[in-house]
Amino acid sequence: MPLEPFKESAALTFGVELELQLVNLSDYDLTAASPDLLHLLGKAPFPGNVTPEITESMIEINSSVHTRHAPLLAQLRAIRDTLVRAGDTLNIGICGGGTHPFQQWAAQKIFAKPRFQQLSELYGYLAKQFTIFGQHVHIGCASGDDAMFLLHSLNRYLPHFIALSASSPFVQGRDTLFDSARLNSVFAFPMSGRAPFTLSWDEFANQYFAKMEKTGIVKSMKDFYWDIRPKPEFGTIELRVCDTPLTVERAAALAAYLQALCRHLLERGEAAPAEDDYLVYNYNRFQACRFGLDGAITHPQTYAGTALRDDILATLLMLAPHAEALNSTGALQHLAEVASGAGDTNLSGDAQFLRAEYARQGSAEGMVDAAIRRFRA
């Protein structure tokens, strides 16, 4: 079946998806509670949308479509409060973070949904190892060509979002030395990585996708696990590299950053994206995953090396007029304080917060408890 036409949507509208952990409050391990939680949440109006994820110890929440940071943040807070109340009723904890620090993948249960069962049969143990938690941000695009332009123009800035959201330092009970270990699990899937380089929606849909569909490997855009992918049914591009932050405030700020950055890129003031930009793409992405804000990246066109923290701060400063126009100055200031290493623990990077809690409390269970309390605000 041909790829559906790209649905026109209002440029720079945005929405957020967050995958969240469901935690047993006795041992702080993940618990297969999503069927009970979804049943409870279905009994009353929900301030957004909530759906199951591939294993029963996780859920996904979706915001509505927004144009401004403040209403998005207000909705995410309402969703959070609703989830916390439901979790209290079921005696389960709910939190962010890109990975649970000590869950064992073999203990996870695949949610009883045909697509998830098919993925489990196809990918084997990788399906259960996909019990990881990310934030996805959708940005509305006026056309498919704008979508492809933004998708590739953002390649240079992708490490910013990895580093600012990094919240997965622990896996299987060990500190991985990565700030974002979650993405290593994503990279295991054969259709992960980056989209093919084309700036034309017609070329993407009628040549690349048509050929891929002929191979029998893919049937829809859902089969691609790219870092950024177009979503023609929504008229958006979807950024997928972020770990789920520990707070909805950080999640909303990241979405506002992407919106302001896309507004800047659509002015076409920067050099046009090119295939050669991707020469440094994988290494820059690795630096952000491994070292977080302390990473170093290489500019894709000048090949100049830059401290990732400094590049983020310079970009946030450059975007100040866009943030003012979009009423998101406070959101970008929040991220600037994170990137600058502000002493307030509420403004630290989430990976640093988790490591500090592990050191302070002396256990992974204590670290999970701190993440649950941080999500509750």
Side-chain angles (χ1 to χ4, degrees):
M1 180 182 295
L3 188 60
E4 60 200 283
F6 192 89
K7 179 182 177 182
E8 181 180 327
S9 64
L12 302 178
T13 51
F14 63 156
V16 166
E17 302 165 0
L18 296 176
E19 296 162 342
L20 296 168
Q21 306 185 33
L22 307 181
V23 177
N24 184 319
L25 294 178
S26 298
D27 59 8
Y28 292 96
D29 200 352
L30 293 180
T31 183
S34 67
D36 291 339
L37 180 62
L38 292 166
H39 177 72
L40 179 60
L41 292 170
K43 292 184 174 181
F46 191 77
N49 191 38
V50 58
T51 56
E53 258 300 335
I54 190 163
T55 62
E56 292 186 353
S57 52
M58 57 194 303
I59 57 167
E60 180 180 276
I61 58 170
N62 314 107
S63 76
S64 305
V65 178
H66 293 275
T67 59
R68 293 290 185 263
H69 167 257
L72 170 66
L73 176 56
Q75 185 183 32
L76 289 178
R77 283 172 167 164
I79 291 172
R80 175 201 62 200
D81 293 346
T82 303
L83 290 174
V84 166
R85 287 193 296 270
D88 288 347
T89 299
L90 297 173
N91 197 34
I92 59 171
I94 300 175
C95 66
T99 57
H100 183 278
F102 60 87
Q103 63 94 9
Q104 299 295 313
W105 65 265
Q108 302 310 316
K109 298 178 181 178
I110 300 294
F111 191 91
K113 184 177 176 182
R115 175 169 169 77
F116 296 151
Q117 299 292 337
Q118 291 164 7
L119 289 174
S120 180
E121 291 171 8
L122 175 61
Y123 290 118
Y125 82 107
L126 289 179
K128 290 187 176 183
Q129 282 205 333
F130 213 51
T131 307
I132 52 176
F133 309 86
Q135 171 179 353
H136 304 161
V137 184
H138 287 261
I139 295 288
C141 301
S143 69
D145 286 353
D146 276 357
M148 300 311 295
F149 171 81
L150 282 176
L151 185 155
H152 292 295
S153 296
L154 285 166
N155 83 79
R156 142 157 175 46
Y157 297 101
L158 221 68
H160 293 199
F161 292 91
I162 295 172
L164 287 167
S165 68
S167 59
S168 52
F170 286 79
V171 173
Q172 304 282 287
R174 302 287 182 179
D175 189 333
T176 64
L177 302 183
F178 278 68
D179 275 16
S180 175
R182 179 189 72 92
L183 281 172
N184 292 326
S185 295
V186 180
F187 300 156
F189 284 79
M191 304 308 294
S192 63
R194 46 154 289 205
F197 188 79
T198 171
L199 298 178
S200 160
W201 178 255
D202 181 70
E203 184 180 342
F204 174 81
N206 298 320
Q207 295 186 39
Y208 175 79
F209 184 86
K211 289 177 182 177
M212 286 299 298
E213 188 186 34
K214 258 183 204 178
T215 68
I217 296 171
V218 300
K219 295 179 180 178
S220 74
M221 286 306 304
K222 285 184 178 180
D223 296 318
F224 295 105
Y225 293 84
W226 294 333
D227 297 340
I228 312 178
R229 68 184 179 188
K231 294 289 284 183
E233 68 270 34
F234 298 145
T236 66
I237 56 168
E238 179 188 15
L239 178 77
R240 299 169 52 81
V241 296
C242 295
D243 287 355
T244 297
L246 298 180
T247 66
V248 295
E249 288 77 14
R250 184 73 47 84
L254 287 164
Y257 182 26
L258 183 62
Q259 183 193 36
L261 187 53
C262 288
R263 189 177 192 266
H264 162 73
L265 292 170
L266 285 171
E267 291 183 340
R268 297 330 201 254
E270 294 194 2
E275 173 63 39
D276 279 358
D277 294 348
Y278 288 98
L279 292 173
V280 299
Y281 182 80
N282 286 341
Y283 193 75
N284 285 348
R285 188 174 57 175
F286 161 76
Q287 281 282 320
C289 290
R290 171 65 177 84
F291 301 107
L293 293 166
D294 293 322
I297 58 172
T298 300
H299 193 285
Q301 292 163 348
T302 67
Y303 301 157
T306 311
L308 181 50
R309 189 186 302 274
D310 293 343
D311 199 52
I312 291 170
L313 289 169
T315 304
L316 289 167
L317 184 62
M318 174 188 70
L319 293 178
H322 297 285
E324 185 174 354
L326 294 166
N327 296 324
S328 59
T329 299
L332 270 60
Q333 179 60 32
H334 170 93
L335 296 177
E337 291 170 338
V338 173
S340 65
D344 185 346
T345 56
N346 289 320
L347 293 173
S348 65
D350 284 344
Q352 288 69 38
F353 172 84
L354 291 169
R355 286 190 172 107
E357 286 297 314
Y358 182 82
R360 186 176 72 84
Q361 302 203 43
S363 73
E365 291 83 0
M367 178 171 52
V368 175
D369 180 54
I372 292 170
R373 287 186 280 107
R374 193 167 174 88
F375 183 75
R376 294 175 72 99

